[in-house]
């Protein structure tokens, strides 16, 4: 999306509606938003497999991107997260276990169990 050339018009040729929509998108000033809109229009499903090499390290970025650009696409958000979970169930389980243990530890620190006299 960092191109310094953006196609905006084809003159008097009959332009298909999907191409016209892309021309309209190209008028936007937020080029990141334009690129994201085109990605979301073209892909009903985002393949997460190329991101698995970093294990769960990229998942927060994927979720943040989807939250920002795909607000109304809860199906896409859920299927993208599901791909990570399905590909690495043990990594997800380990992460959840660590989070649960940390929560228990912090609960004990801030709120010690009551003592009875």
């Amino acid at each position: 999306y960092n191109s310094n050339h953006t196609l905006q018009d084809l003159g008097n040729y009959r332009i298909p509606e999907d191409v016209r929509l892309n021309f309209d998108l190209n008028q936007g000033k937020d080029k990141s938003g334009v690129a994201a809109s085109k990605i979301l229009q073209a892909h009903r499903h985002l393949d997460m497999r190329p991101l698995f090499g970093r294990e769960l390290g990229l998942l927060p970025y994927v979720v943040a991107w989807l939250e920002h650009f795909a607000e109304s696409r809860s199906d896409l958000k859920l299927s993208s997260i599901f791909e990570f979970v399905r590909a690495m169930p043990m990594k997800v389980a380990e992460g959840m276990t660590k989070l649960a243990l940390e929560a228990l530890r912090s609960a004990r620190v801030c709120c010690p169990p009551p003592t009875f006299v």
Side-chain angles (χ1 to χ4, degrees):
Y1 69 91
N2 286 325
S3 173
N4 61 353
H5 297 72
T6 304
L7 186 61
Q8 296 180 352
D9 192 12
L10 288 177
N12 293 327
Y13 293 99
R14 183 183 160 126
I15 301 169
E17 186 61 29
D18 59 331
V19 175
R20 169 68 52 208
L21 288 171
N22 283 324
F23 284 159
D24 293 343
L25 281 173
N26 286 345
Q27 301 301 319
K29 299 290 182 211
D30 174 16
K31 297 306 178 187
S32 293
V34 169
S37 294
K38 288 179 179 181
I39 290 168
L40 294 170
Q41 282 180 4
H43 302 282
R44 294 178 43 87
H45 171 77
L46 299 177
D47 184 7
M48 296 289 119
R49 288 178 294 179
L51 307 179
F52 292 165
R54 298 272 312 269
E55 295 186 342
L56 297 177
L58 291 177
L59 183 57
Y61 298 101
V62 169
V63 171
W65 188 89
L66 290 167
E67 284 293 322
H68 185 74
F69 292 113
E71 257 183 274
S72 63
R73 297 281 308 272
S74 60
D75 61 321
L76 186 62
K77 287 185 229 178
L78 292 173
S79 67
S80 299
I81 293 168
F82 176 72
E83 275 195 52
F84 273 91
V85 173
R86 184 177 61 185
M88 296 170 253
M90 293 311 294
K91 292 284 184 192
V92 173
E94 289 169 13
M96 295 303 293
T97 302
K98 286 178 186 174
L99 286 175
L101 288 173
E102 288 171 12
L104 284 173
R105 284 187 193 114
S106 65
R108 286 186 192 143
V109 170
C110 77
C111 310
T115 54
F116 297 100
V117 185

